[in-house]
Amino acid sequence: MKNFTYYRPLSLEAAVALLDNRWGTTELLAGGTDLLDLQKEYIAQPDKVVSLTFIQDPVFTRIEVPQILPGTKPTVSIGAAVKIADIAEHAELKNLFPALTDAAAQVGGPQIRNMGTLGGNLCQRNRCWYFRDEHVLCLLKGGRRCFASDGENRYHAIFTKGHPCVIVHPSTLAPALIALGASVEVVGPSGKRTIELNKFFQAPTKPDQREHVLAPNEIVVRVLIPVEGLRNASYEVRHKQSYDWPLAQAAVAFRLSGGKATNVRIVLGHVAPIPHVATEAQKVVEGQTITRELAEQAGEAATVGAAPLSQNAYKVHLVKVAVKRALLLASGAQPDWAI
Amino acid sequence: MSETHPPPGKPGISRRQFLTGTGLGAAATTLLQTSEARTQASKVQAPKTVGFGPNAVACELVVNGARISVQIEPRVTLLDCLRHYMDITGPKRVCDRGTCGACTVLLDGRPIYACTMLALEAQGKKIETPESLYQDGQLHRVPAAFAQYDAQQCGFCTPGFVMAMKGCFDRNPNATPDEVEQCLAGNICRCGTYQQMRDALRSLCKKGG
C-alpha cells in the first residue's frame, strides 16, 4: 500500500474542504472494506485519506424513522455512515422496507456488515477482475480496451447497451433503494443537494469517472426513503449463501390496492453497469393481480434487451427467476422454492 | 475520554494537536463525543484539519483492556499494528484482503477484519483479541470447547473462528446453533474442521452460551 497522509475531520464541511476536485489524489475512508483492498492492490493510490469515522453529525450516523400517521408522507433517513449490519437488524426498517433489509443482511459476511457503511456500499468500486488486477490496464485505468468484453466475463453485464466497459454495479442495496424511490443527499463545496437514486449511478468508461455521478469533492450524507406503504422485496440468485456477490438480483416495489399492483418498480442488480430498471416487466405487472403466471411473464419481459457476452448467457435465465420470486415474495405468496 | 486518546504532548494524533488542528480548542477537555463539541463542529465553516503522516505517528490503542502506544505510519492496518508493533499475534494474517476471517477481532464487541481497518481508525475503541480468552489460568469456554471437540487442524483459522463465535455469544447468550453458524459465515477453514466446530458450538448452545 502506498503511504499517505491521514486526516480525521470532525464535520462533513471540514471533510469536504479536504477533498480535491479531481479523482485519485484523495480518497474518503468509511468502513474501509473496499478502499483498503484497492490500496493494497495499488488500484487506488491516494496521497490523502480522509477518514469519515470520527464525524458525529447525527444526520450522517443515525437511522431516523418518523412517526407514521395516516394521511402523512413521512420520509425515513438513513445516514451514510450507518453500518450495513445496523440496517439489516433494524426492526422498523425490516417492517417497512424488507427489500432493503434482506439485501443488507446478505452483504458480504458478518464482519463486512459490521464494518461497511451505507454510503460506502453505494460508492464502492466495481468488482471486475481485470479492473482489480494491478497489472491490467483496462479502460477504467487509462487503457485502450475492456478485456472482459471478449475475455473472462461470466460475472459481467448482460445489459451492456453497447457500453464499452461491461462491469456490473456491485451494490445490492442500490436496486432495493431505487425500487423504493429513494434519493441521496450529498454535500459539496457549495452546500447540499439531493439526487434521485435512479440518477445517481453512471456507467464509467475512463479513469476520471466513478460508478456514480458525484463530483470528487462531494460526500454522501444520507439516503432518504419515502414511506409510501409499498409492498417490496429483493431476491438474489447466488452461488454461495454468504461472502459472495449475487449472480443476479431483482428488487420490486408496488402498491397493492384491491388486489391489483400499481406504481410498479422492478430494478435488477448485477446484470448491468448500473442498477437496471426493467421497464418492460413493470408494464406487464402494472394494474394486474400478481399470480404465479403473471410473475413468470414479468420475468420474461425483464430480459428484453439482454445481450449476453460469451460466458454469461446463464444470467438471462437467472433474471427471470429473480424477478418472478421477488414479485411473489412481495405479494405475500408462500415460496415454493428452497430458501 | 482520556483513556481512549493519546495523552497531550506526544507526536502524531495527540489531544493537543487534534484540538488545535480542528479549530476546536475552545471545546477543551471534551473532544468530539460531547454535544458541546458537536455543536461547535457544525458551526465552524470548513475548519482546517491537520494531517498525520506519511511518517510514523503516535497511535494508542486499547487492546484487551491495556493501553498500548506505538509509532506507526498511517497505512499500517490494525492487524499489522497488533502483530508487528504490539507483539499481539493471536489474530492471524492469512488472506490480508478481508476474505478469510483469520484476523477477526472484536471492536466494541463486534467481530471485524483487523486486516481491513487502519490501526488509526480503531483509536478510542475497545479491541479484543484471542489473547483476552486466557485469564488467571482460566481458558474461556469458547476456545475450551474447540479444544474439547478437536475443532482445529492446522490452526490458522481457529483464532478468527473463536473470536467470531465469542462475539456471537456475547451479543446473544441464548443463540441457537443456526444463529451461531450465521455468525461464522465470514470465516473460512481450509482444513475443513467444520463438523468439529459444529460439535463445539452445539455443546456451548446447550449450556446457554
Side-chain angles (χ1 to χ4, degrees):
Chain A
M1 191 189 305
K2 196 184 88 175
N3 210 356
F4 50 82
T5 310
Y6 170 86
Y7 292 84
R8 187 183 281 179
L10 298 186
S11 69
L12 287 163
E13 290 74 19
V16 167
L18 289 163
L19 299 178
D20 293 336
N21 56 9
R22 63 194 172 108
W23 290 115
T25 51
T26 304
E27 294 286 352
L28 287 169
L29 173 64
T33 53
D34 192 27
L35 179 62
L36 263 66
D37 268 9
L38 291 166
Q39 287 181 285
K40 286 173 185 176
E41 302 292 346
Y42 291 90
I43 309 301
Q45 301 185 47
D47 300 315
K48 294 195 285 183
V49 168
V50 178
S51 167
L52 300 173
T53 306
F54 295 82
I55 296 173
Q56 300 285 310
D57 190 338
V59 168
F60 185 60
T61 59
R62 288 195 199 154
I63 300 172
E64 298 289 346
V65 182
Q67 222 185 350
I68 293 152
L69 303 167
T72 60
K73 283 193 173 175
T75 303
V76 167
S77 166
I78 309 178
V82 170
K83 300 290 183 194
I84 293 168
D86 290 330
I87 295 174
E89 293 165 13
H90 196 281
E92 287 167 290
L93 290 185
K94 274 187 190 174
N95 187 31
L96 291 168
F97 309 126
L100 174 64
T101 53
D102 284 355
Q106 294 182 78
V107 171
Q111 288 93 328
I112 295 287
R113 295 193 290 272
N114 284 337
M115 301 170 80
T117 62
L118 172 60
N121 184 275
L122 297 179
C123 296
Q124 65 185 308
R125 301 305 313 265
N126 72 83
R127 305 301 309 181
C128 174
W129 36 38
Y130 294 105
F131 173 72
R132 297 249 163 192
D133 186 336
E134 179 192 351
H135 305 290
V136 175
L137 198 61
C138 77
L139 272 181
L140 298 190
K141 293 187 284 188
R144 279 179 297 181
R145 54 176 296 231
C146 169
F147 293 92
S149 57
D150 59 353
E152 295 291 337
N153 54 33
R154 74 198 73 142
Y155 300 128
H156 289 72
I158 56 170
F159 294 95
T160 54
K161 301 173 190 168
H163 192 67
C165 161
V166 295
I167 58 165
V168 293
H169 196 277
S171 172
T172 52
L173 305 187
L177 288 167
I178 291 172
L180 292 165
S183 53
V184 184
E185 186 178 282
V186 305
V187 63
S190 49
K192 286 183 178 171
R193 66 179 177 124
T194 304
I195 311 167
E196 283 175 49
L197 196 60
N198 66 0
K199 295 180 180 144
F200 180 80
F201 299 102
Q202 67 176 3
T205 52
K206 46 190 181 179
D208 62 353
Q209 287 178 333
R210 291 277 161 106
E211 289 81 354
H212 52 72
V213 300
L214 293 191
N217 50 12
E218 286 184 308
I219 302 172
V220 177
V221 179
R222 58 174 167 166
V223 171
L224 298 161
I225 316 171
V227 180
E228 298 177 320
L230 302 180
R231 298 287 196 111
N232 62 91
S234 167
Y235 188 87
E236 297 173 16
V237 182
R238 311 177 135 261
H239 262 319
K240 296 189 280 185
Q241 284 183 330
S242 74
Y243 218 104
D244 206 353
W245 283 262
L247 301 166
Q249 172 198 13
V252 305
F254 51 84
R255 186 180 311 285
L256 200 61
S257 48
K260 312 271 188 203
T262 57
N263 297 62
V264 180
R265 297 187 203 115
I266 301 176
V267 188
L268 308 179
H270 295 263
V271 291
I274 61 173
H276 177 78
V277 179
T279 43
E280 294 303 317
Q282 291 178 171
K283 284 182 203 160
V284 168
V285 181
E286 188 67 37
Q288 304 294 316
T289 303
I290 294 179
T291 59
R292 201 159 295 273
E293 292 68 35
L294 186 86
E296 262 170 36
Q297 287 166 24
E300 289 284 342
T303 63
V304 170
L309 304 168
S310 56
Q311 298 179 343
N312 65 5
Y314 73 96
K315 281 198 179 190
V316 176
H317 180 68
L318 299 190
V319 163
K320 295 177 191 173
V321 174
V323 168
K324 179 181 83 173
R325 292 184 177 182
L327 281 168
L328 290 174
L329 278 177
S331 70
Q334 204 61 33
D336 62 351
W337 59 89
I339 24 180
Chain B
M1 278 316 303
S2 59
E3 69 168 40
T4 57
H5 284 272
K10 285 198 176 180
I13 304 182
S14 72
R15 171 196 294 247
R16 189 176 306 265
Q17 283 179 320
F18 199 53
L19 292 173
T20 315
T22 52
L24 282 175
T29 54
T30 47
L31 267 188
L32 58 160
Q33 263 82 355
T34 69
S35 59
E36 187 193 352
R38 271 207 302 276
T39 317
Q40 293 259 353
S42 62
K43 278 181 192 159
V44 178
Q45 270 298 311
K48 190 162 166 37
T49 311
V50 170
F52 299 97
N55 296 324
V57 298
C59 173
E60 186 182 80
L61 299 180
V62 182
V63 188
N64 302 329
R67 291 167 57 182
I68 309 174
S69 195
V70 290
Q71 293 277 327
I72 52 163
E73 291 178 344
R75 63 178 158 179
V76 174
T77 61
L78 175 57
L79 178 64
D80 288 349
C81 182
L82 291 169
R83 290 181 60 83
H84 299 165
Y85 293 81
M86 299 177 170
D87 207 22
I88 296 169
T89 54
K92 297 288 179 269
R93 195 187 209 251
V94 177
C95 76
D96 197 35
R97 292 293 183 278
T99 302
C100 73
C103 67
T104 300
V105 300
L106 303 186
L107 192 77
D108 283 347
R110 287 179 151 198
I112 59 121
Y113 295 135
C115 74
T116 305
M117 172 175 279
L118 297 179
L120 290 172
E121 291 282 285
Q123 282 193 296
K125 307 248 166 67
K126 196 177 138 209
I127 301 158
E128 289 172 73
T129 74
E131 279 80 357
S132 69
L133 302 180
Y134 184 73
Q135 280 175 353
D136 306 324
Q138 197 64 35
L139 190 61
H140 186 277
R141 59 190 181 281
V142 170
F146 270 65
Q148 187 186 343
Y149 289 89
D150 199 18
Q152 63 276 313
Q153 191 168 314
C154 84
F156 257 89
C157 73
T158 313
F161 271 102
V162 166
M163 291 314 287
M165 201 183 287
K166 178 189 186 273
C168 184
F169 283 123
D170 283 355
R171 285 195 84 189
N172 178 10
N174 302 315
T176 64
D178 277 353
E179 286 166 344
V180 182
E181 283 191 28
Q182 288 296 317
C183 292
L184 304 181
N187 296 67
I188 280 176
C189 169
R190 294 201 69 177
C191 301
T193 57
Y194 297 110
Q195 193 49 52
Q196 292 92 320
M197 279 194 253
R198 278 206 172 106
D199 295 342
L201 73 88
R202 288 210 177 102
S203 79
L204 292 166
C205 289
K206 266 184 215 149
K207 291 175 197 160

